[in-house]
Amino acid sequence: MKTICFYFQIHQPFRLRRYRFFDIGNNHYYLDDFQNEEIFRRIADRCYIPANQTILEMIKKSEGKFKVAFSISGTALEQMEIYSPEALDSFRELAKLDSVEFLTETYAHSLASLGDPEEFALQVKMHKEKIHSLFGVRPKVFRNTELIYSDDIAELVYKMGFNGMLTEGAKHILGWKSPNYVYASAVRPQLKLLLKNDRFSEDLSIRFSDYTWNEYPLTADKYMSWIAATAPAEEVINLFMNYEVLGSMHGAETGIFDFFKALPNYAEKNGISFSLPSELFKSQKITDVISVPYPMSWVDEEKDCSSWLGNVLQQEANRKLIEISERVRLCEDRRIRQDWIYLQSSDHLYYMNTKHYNLFSPYDNPYDAFNNYMNVLSDFILRVNAQFPSSIENEELNSLLTTIRNQANEINLLEKKLERKTAATGKKTPKPAFVAKG
């Protein structure tokens, strides 16, 4: 029996304000609050709230047979808390249902998996905690930023305790193979993989409202008949896309919501069910393993990472980020840690893309995006260096901080022993002044 796995990505970055060269060292506030609020509220009103209501109706009407998985970046969740609590409440309502699954990703929707394994692990942990605190669930399945995957990343993800992951079904990796099966990592066969079906996913995400498409208009009946017509042995159809497909990329006037509402009915008529990623990893056998020596993603024709790291501007910005990361992790300043997360969102590098016109960029051109980001990053680095001077090597600094923490722990332990001794004897003993050596 064929089954469909619906997965939606939800992410919004904290966009940066116009930050001039003369702001460096003088103004440490980087965010464009007006633009962030305006964009988030608009998308929440057009997509998140009505789409959640549609999904909720579909699940209830189908008596739980319609199922869907979400991954929501930490930065998107924070903006929901600030700008659209009603959208967050609607996700909480979905989280109560067995037909909805939340996945784990990098908190900042970052590229940490491509060059900073320690930061990658910290952000995944941070995201899991955020999902649990808001929705009361603990994600079991991982999806990386923009479905980025490689053998090296598979190793990192497996070591974090995941046994299932979502990624792209890129033709240059699969070759003659079909994405409509459950695969496993070549380096970690215990890590199961679901691969995006490009054709059926992009029929909805890209072509649905394209008047020039020879299959326009797309109906739920026609769509389900296409899926039913795939080879009998191909039982798993993975439909992965941005949630903005519902109401934002394709407005309500295109009929996208009515199309989705009709899917469960026509799926049942064609003998097609719906499944969550975790269910497929339990029920489906592994067909084969795939090896991905170089990172792939679900973006552009190339399905690689060149949209974020394909030119010298992006590479320089990313190098600066990785260079400062170890020192940032030593910081305990809340504002620095918060800005660090916001600056890591992959969108900032995507805006520097010179491959094609970027419809979603708040900048006039990639060079403007680079200059603005590097001005902000320059100020951020000054703040980090003010706490930990760049003249001290990272290893030396880490060693000094470890020594200080150990001494603090030792002092704390001795003080507790003294308190117990005082309580036992009933005599007041003056506390000695412990002096840290070094």
Side-chain angles (χ1 to χ4, degrees), residues 27 43-44 57 117 126 138 181 186 215 249 261 356 395 438:
N27 190 326
I43 295 176
E57 291 175 10
M126 187 178 177
R138 296 189 183 278
Y181 297 96
E215 295 291 349
M249 296 170 68
K261 288 177 182 177
H356 48 68
E395 288 187 10

Side-chain angles (χ1 to χ4, degrees), residues 59-217:
I59 292 172
K60 289 183 175 180
K61 190 173 182 180
S62 66
E63 298 181 340
K65 293 178 182 177
F66 182 75
K67 300 178 180 182
V68 63
F70 296 101
S71 72
I72 314 176
S73 70
T75 55
L77 289 168
E78 285 190 27
Q79 290 186 68
M80 275 187 213
E81 291 176 297
I82 299 168
Y83 304 129
S84 185
E86 60 272 33
L88 185 58
D89 287 341
S90 66
F91 277 108
R92 283 196 175 108
E93 193 68 24
L94 289 175
K96 298 174 184 177
L97 305 175
D98 292 336
S99 297
V100 175
E101 180 172 13
F102 287 89
L103 312 183
T104 294
E105 65 161 281
T106 55
Y107 191 94
H109 201 77
S110 73
L111 302 179
S113 62
L114 297 178
D116 196 342
E118 186 176 350
E119 182 65 26
F120 180 51
L122 287 172
Q123 283 197 32
V124 171
K125 181 181 178 183
M126 187 178 177
H127 186 264
K128 286 177 71 175
E129 292 171 352
K130 186 72 172 179
I131 292 293
H132 183 254
S133 69
L134 290 177
F135 305 124
V137 297
R138 296 189 183 278
K140 302 173 184 176
V141 177
F142 184 75
R143 61 84 60 185
N144 198 14
T145 303
E146 304 295 330
L147 295 189
I148 293 173
Y149 176 85
S150 70
D151 290 340
D152 289 339
I153 293 171
E155 186 75 33
L156 296 174
V157 172
Y158 177 77
K159 287 179 179 178
M160 284 186 237
F162 294 98
N163 58 14
M165 183 174 176
L166 275 57
T167 187
E168 169 64 34
K171 292 179 181 178
H172 70 275
I173 295 297
L174 286 176
W176 57 268
K177 298 176 184 177
S178 166
N180 304 333
Y181 297 96
V182 175
Y183 289 87
S185 163
V187 295
R188 283 291 184 179
Q190 305 94 325
L191 183 69
K192 298 180 181 180
L193 305 172
L194 292 180
L195 310 183
K196 174 191 166 192
N197 183 302
D198 268 353
R199 177 206 160 181
F200 291 131
S201 296
E202 293 175 3
D203 281 345
L204 301 185
S205 63
I206 297 175
R207 293 181 281 272
F208 181 81
S209 59
D210 182 1
Y211 293 93
T212 65
W213 184 30
N214 61 351
E215 295 291 349
Y216 182 87

